[in-house]
Amino acid sequence: MKKLLQIYAFLFIVYFLYLYNYHMNESHLSQLTQGEGQGEFSEKYVMVTFQSGIDYWKNSLKGFEDAAQKLNVLVEYRGATQHDIHEQITVMEQVIAKKPAGIAISAIDPDALTKTFEKARDMGIPVVLFDSGAASDKVSSFLGTDNYKTGITAAHKLVELIGKKGKVAVITSPNQLNHQERTKGFLDTIKKETTGVEVIAVKDGKGDQLVSSKVAMNLLKKYPDLKGIFATEANGGVGVGEAVSLLKKNQKVKIVSFDTDKQTLDLIKDGTISATLAQGTWRMGFWSLLFLFDLQHKNSPIIKREFSDKPPMTSYVDTGISIVTKENVENYYAK
């Protein structure tokens, strides 16, 4: 009996030493993984968009995920499946209820989300806007394109393409702040800087390829001498391209579009779309997460040490654009 007790005692000691050693190794591994000033894998940040399945969001999400990997935090992607503000508000309410460490959102409507942003702030959840902004003091920052300036750039390019004279039109999404600004920049530039160019219509394409195609088709039939169309977003540009192709006006009607989804790039490659404006979408996602992390971890050593090129957190950060044409389109296909 005494010998049996000795064996049990020995086994208990061995088991205790095993547990102690395992705990110490795990603790050391955790310290190595987490690093000084980094987050923990239990800390989650959420990106919220709309029309969540479209290609446009892929680069922003990739930037968000790349930042998460460097910061050692979790991220989640959510979004309204349609171009529907009520659905996006519902998604935001669901996200807020889970109390994430922060939310980056592209807003469909510049005003409708104000109460939702206020709820997030009251719960201590920082919110930054990217791509499409909102007139709210409940968010910390907006990271995106200077949309008014892109409207100016689009106007200059389209005027150049049509030989500085002729009728042009705009197909846009008038309820979104970013599209309002693009349209205003375009219209102001045409009015102030040209004498031979006339904007004959500004139409709602509802951010939808089929709707935009129908709108463009009607315009082209009503104005057979229409020389150019500015589409303020990618679905609209592809829709306009389809209408122009169906009416066999590819060489006559110049299209300036937005963004670099594959359909748009293919239409530039075959000459249907003359130019598109590429946004800094990866930077939108990457910097959004850095800003949110900084709001949660004031003066974080890892932000100072690893992200010295991060722009200062201000109410607005311009993520830049570039012009894509047939000459450089190959550079914008996903590798």
Side-chain angles (χ1 to χ4, degrees):
M1 185 69 179
K2 185 177 179 181
K3 190 172 183 180
L4 188 61
L5 288 173
Q6 288 175 336
I7 292 172
Y8 280 137
F10 174 75
L11 290 174
F12 176 79
I13 292 169
V14 169
Y15 181 65
F16 174 79
L17 290 172
Y18 166 78
L19 286 178
Y20 177 77
N21 184 60
Y22 177 82
H23 172 74
M24 291 300 291
N25 283 338
E26 285 294 297
S27 176
H28 178 61
L29 180 61
S30 175
Q31 290 172 5
L32 288 175
T33 304
Q34 184 173 320
E36 181 188 5
Q38 286 182 270
E40 300 178 4
F41 277 122
S42 59
E43 188 172 289
K44 181 183 284 187
Y45 296 84
V46 183
M47 174 178 280
V48 178
T49 66
F50 52 91
Q51 291 179 294
S52 56
I54 63 175
D55 284 349
Y56 173 70
W57 304 116
K58 288 181 178 178
N59 274 345
S60 294
L61 181 58
K62 179 67 165 59
F64 206 63
E65 291 171 338
D66 287 349
Q69 189 173 22
K70 290 179 176 291
L71 294 170
N72 198 33
V73 297
L74 292 171
V75 292
E76 182 180 343
Y77 178 55
R78 297 287 307 278
T81 57
Q82 305 299 320
H83 194 280
D84 184 339
I85 183 57
H86 302 293
E87 187 185 359
Q88 190 175 47
I89 289 172
T90 299
V91 170
M92 272 292 284
E93 294 282 353
Q94 292 169 347
V95 170
I96 290 168
K98 293 183 178 180
K99 298 181 180 178
I103 302 170
I105 177 172
S106 181
I108 294 178
D109 188 286
D111 302 309
L113 285 152
T114 300
K115 289 184 179 179
T116 313
F117 294 151
E118 186 172 353
K119 180 181 288 189
R121 189 188 66 172
D122 291 346
M123 291 179 65
I125 303 168
V127 175
V128 298
L129 290 156
F130 73 98
D131 182 64
S132 180
S136 174
D137 60 358
K138 308 299 187 295
V139 298
S140 299
S141 190
F142 169 62
L143 301 98
T145 306
D146 185 327
N147 288 293
Y148 185 84
K149 283 185 179 179
T150 61
I152 295 173
T153 301
H156 288 160
K157 189 63 182 177
L158 192 57
V159 167
E160 172 198 323
L161 288 165
I162 67 172
K164 300 182 180 180
K165 61 180 179 180
K167 295 175 181 176
V168 299
V170 180
I171 294 180
T172 186
S173 296
N175 294 323
Q176 279 182 235
L177 182 60
N178 53 345
H179 295 285
Q180 293 169 9
E181 291 170 345
R182 291 170 196 173
T183 301
K184 189 174 188 321
F186 182 88
L187 297 177
D188 286 352
T189 304
I190 297 296
K191 183 178 180 180
K192 293 174 183 177
E193 299 184 15
T194 67
T195 55
V197 179
E198 177 189 1
V199 180
I200 51 89
V202 177
K203 296 291 185 179
D204 185 0
K206 299 187 183 301
D208 182 90
Q209 183 174 323
L210 183 60
V211 173
S212 296
S213 181
K214 289 180 179 178
V215 169
M217 190 80 74
N218 290 335
L219 283 172
L220 290 163
K221 288 178 179 178
K222 186 175 180 179
Y223 302 97
D225 56 344
L226 188 65
K227 294 186 70 175
I229 298 175
F230 171 41
T232 66
E233 51 84 35
N235 285 332
V238 173
V240 172
E242 287 178 351
V244 167
S245 295
L246 285 170
L247 293 177
K248 302 187 185 305
K249 291 182 176 286
N250 301 49
Q251 304 306 316
K252 296 179 181 178
V253 180
K254 304 300 181 183
I255 303 168
V256 173
S257 187
F258 239 85
D259 302 321
T260 55
D261 60 289
K262 187 176 183 300
Q263 283 183 289
T264 299
L265 297 178
D266 288 346
L267 289 174
I268 287 178
K269 198 171 181 179
D270 72 17
T272 303
I273 293 177
S274 300
T276 191
L277 302 179
Q279 302 186 76
T281 49
W282 183 89
R283 290 187 292 274
M284 291 181 197
F286 192 82
W287 291 347
S288 286
L289 186 52
L290 295 189
F291 278 27
L292 289 170
F293 188 87
D294 221 9
L295 288 165
Q296 282 287 2
H297 305 271
K298 298 292 185 183
N299 301 313
S300 168
I302 188 174
I303 294 290
K304 292 180 177 179
R305 185 176 66 242
E306 303 292 340
F307 304 100
S308 57
D309 57 344
K310 179 182 80 68
M313 186 181 292
T314 55
S315 60
Y316 168 67
V317 177
D318 183 5
T319 49
I321 60 161
S322 56
I323 300 175
V324 184
T325 63
K326 200 169 186 177
E327 287 67 38
N328 64 353
V329 65
E330 293 294 343
N331 299 332
Y332 290 85
Y333 279 97
K335 298 295 189 285

